[in-house]
Amino acid sequence: MNRTRLDDRLSDLGTDGYLLDASQEDANQLYLSGFTGPDPFLTLYADGEVHVLVSGLEYGRATTEAAADTVERHADYDYEYGGREARNDMYATFVRDKGVESVSMPPRGPVGTADALRERGIDVAVDTDDRLREVRAVKTDEEVDAIREAQRANEAAMRAAEELIAGADVATEADDAEAGVLLRDGEPLTSERVTEEIEVTLLRHGCALDETIVAGGAQAADPHDRGSGPLRADEAIIVDIFPRSKATKYNADMTRTFCVGEPSETLREWYDLTERALNAALDAVEPGTTGEDVHAAACEVYEAAGEPTFRTDPETETGFIHSTGHGIGLDVHESPRLANGGGELEPGHVITVEPGLYDPDVGGVRIEDLVVVTEDGYENLTDYPIRFAAE
Amino acid sequence: MNRTRLDDRLSDLGTDGYLLDASQEDANQLYLSGFTGPDPFLTLYADGEVHVLVSGLEYGRATTEAAADTVERHADYDYEYGGREARNDMYATFVRDKGVESVSMPPRGPVGTADALRERGIDVAVDTDDRLREVRAVKTDEEVDAIREAQRANEAAMRAAEELIAGADVATEADDAEAGVLLRDGEPLTSERVTEEIEVTLLRHGCALDETIVAGGAQAADPHDRGSGPLRADEAIIVDIFPRSKATKYNADMTRTFCVGEPSETLREWYDLTERALNAALDAVEPGTTGEDVHAAACEVYEAAGEPTFRTDPETETGFIHSTGHGIGLDVHESPRLANGGGELEPGHVITVEPGLYDPDVGGVRIEDLVVVTEDGYENLTDYPIRFAAE
């Protein structure tokens, strides 16, 4: 964590401290406390120091693990598990004990805690800019290395998926399965089977996983459809993998689109266009440019080819119907955004670049690389070929 | 979802509606909306109807998947992605459009949304009892079946772990590894290796996973330590697995403690005591009894044997240092609690019963079964032997 940047970004909030009430599931909490507590706990940042308050059950681990200046336990405030009011009293006492009479909380902090502190005379303001999230967006070298390591696992999983798809047979009239369905060992190759292979590979490489996408045909035309059922020849199959390192908790993200057999002329054009959109967006990545500029670079490739985007038609349900990318770190989706309104890129931003085209009548194509913004451009953290024909 | 129970529990809140702003990661949201949206979205329950508001990207999937009476998208409120204020305006308009001028939100609802609605003239009260959580605690038969199915995967994973441990050799002076370390194929058998086997097995059985615990020796004396490094003979190894079905999102939970070699006399006594504490607690489970009563039944076994509990010494760091169990469902930890202050058990409550003893100088022992409270007692959902010697 970069405390100078933290102090700088939080300096004009006008409150005495910054308060988090969350478990390790919350990236702000994990970042500021450094503690992987499974249940919600308090972290207060005040006067340049990080103070953590945990239950007795977590205390031993928290003292070892937390990147905090002080770690206290509930018993230090004579609190025994039970009453909600007593717990809120303890929270208020903890905050006041640090000389803090007013706190900022991030927008997704719990309203129950905010209101309970207010009732006890502590001012609670919402940090609507979610500044800790902005601090997190710029990674240290160690954080970039953690993402790089997760990306290596991602590449091993993509390789396993591509081999499974490339090695499939195609069912003919003579088979039990419907003609055109991909077969492995005589059984239909399903999205679920490919997903399982990806996730087992990630586990073997020290990564946990969220929700892998393996979606073919019309399913691939919905960017958030995870995919299900048999995959088929001649259709585009989107494979989007976002593993999380178990050791570091940092995420990686990569998408490739594969085809077995003969894709339609339209799918071929879409693939080429999308590869060009990816390269145009990557070319635009450098410090000082904005997320909006990078998004525009991808949009322009599609728009020049007559494909709809949200810029040409905000209501379109086909074409390029999402942003060009997002920051990634302890969250899969974090700052900055590569989209309309996306702000200035800075060295240390780790972002995905992932243009795509979608239409239920055609299918979906998306290609996604993971890059870090450097002083003079970007470094691509992705080491995986871009090819439509699975091999 | 049991809407009668929902209406009953929410009836005296004194607000026009109940509002959630969360992604599927939030169990209340998943329960009320039935929609697996990866980004936060709004669900409003008012006048017996569930209303969902999602982004355009999620709209198609939400209309198919959500258990809602109405599904709307941002474009229905002329909102385009961008400004925070515009988004909050949309939220207020959505709420008012349903005839709602006051809402309750659960304690962990986002303060940013609560305050933004308040600024726009909508009353926001905190439902400090988290009543939706209480509604979720009583399961329908379908929910119990979903948990049962996840528990079958859990048993397969436990079997894989036990076999790996049981089949280990023990390093002697002649080996490269330190004497006493468990070996598989000549390599030290680590917590990480057993965890990987468990998690791969869960994936093969359609389950995702949270953080599996495989902890031996002194590590097992910290109930939340996930375990790391080589496992050893003669020590107690706690294996605690809590998988989540990918299809249903319901969780299961089970713990066994294994030993290879000769456990100390103390560990043997602890194991027997813990099995007796488990049975005493299970015997106490029936409708009308309280979570506190069930916890007391386990405590009494330990206390009679002279082991400390939180009842005899609230500050103790050894002995029985956690509650006897917790409800489980869409969350791994939910209502009811089997602990001091734990309320009345009802048919349909699915709970864990998991007494244990801990001391860094001895190790840790925990045995955990998963049961559903029935009209006349309980049904044990766990089908796995209780034995200390791994086989």
Side-chain angles (χ1 to χ4, degrees), chain A residues 21-22 24-25 36 38-40 57-58 61 65 73 75 80-82 84 105-115 118 124 126 128-129 193 195-197 199-200 203-204 209-211 222-226 246 249 314-315 317 321-322 333 337, chain B residues 21-22 24-25 36 38-40 57-58 61 65 73 75 80-82 84 105-115 118 124 126 128-129 193 195-197 199-200 203-204 209-211 222-226 246 249 314-315 317 321-322 333 337:
Chain A
D21 173 4
Q24 63 159 336
E25 296 294 314
T36 59
D39 299 314
L57 192 58
E58 303 293 353
R61 224 158 45 77
E65 198 183 275
R73 66 185 115 183
E80 292 175 37
Y81 192 76
R84 182 171 54 230
M105 291 180 77
R108 301 203 68 81
V111 62
T113 303
D115 280 10
R118 287 164 174 164
V124 179
V126 176
T128 49
D129 293 326
R193 175 71 188 85
T195 297
E196 185 181 309
E197 195 62 32
E199 297 184 341
V200 168
L203 278 179
R204 301 278 190 212
L209 39 109
D210 201 335
E211 287 182 313
D222 177 347
H224 278 191
D225 194 319
R226 289 105 184 177
K246 287 187 178 196
K249 309 286 184 188
E315 311 254 305
E317 296 183 356
I321 53 174
H322 54 66
H333 292 151
R337 294 188 306 117
Chain B
D21 173 5
Q24 63 159 337
E25 296 295 313
T36 59
D39 299 314
L57 192 56
E58 302 293 353
R61 223 159 45 77
E65 199 183 274
R73 68 185 114 183
E80 291 175 38
Y81 192 78
R84 183 171 53 231
M105 291 180 77
R108 300 204 68 82
V111 62
T113 303
D115 281 10
R118 287 164 174 163
V124 178
V126 176
T128 50
D129 293 325
R193 174 72 188 85
T195 297
E196 184 181 309
E197 195 62 31
E199 296 185 342
V200 168
L203 278 179
R204 301 278 190 214
L209 38 110
D210 202 334
E211 287 182 314
D222 176 348
H224 278 190
D225 194 319
R226 288 104 183 177
K246 288 187 178 198
K249 310 285 183 189
E315 310 255 305
E317 294 184 357
I321 53 173
H322 53 67
H333 293 151
R337 294 187 307 117

Side-chain angles (χ1 to χ4, degrees), chain B residues 61-94:
Chain B
R61 223 159 45 77
T63 50
T64 315
E65 199 183 274
D69 297 285
T70 72
V71 176
E72 293 172 290
R73 68 185 114 183
H74 295 172
D76 296 331
Y77 292 87
D78 297 324
Y79 172 75
E80 291 175 38
Y81 192 78
R84 183 171 53 231
E85 293 304 311
R87 193 196 58 202
N88 289 329
D89 289 344
M90 168 179 65
Y91 286 179
T93 307
F94 165 76

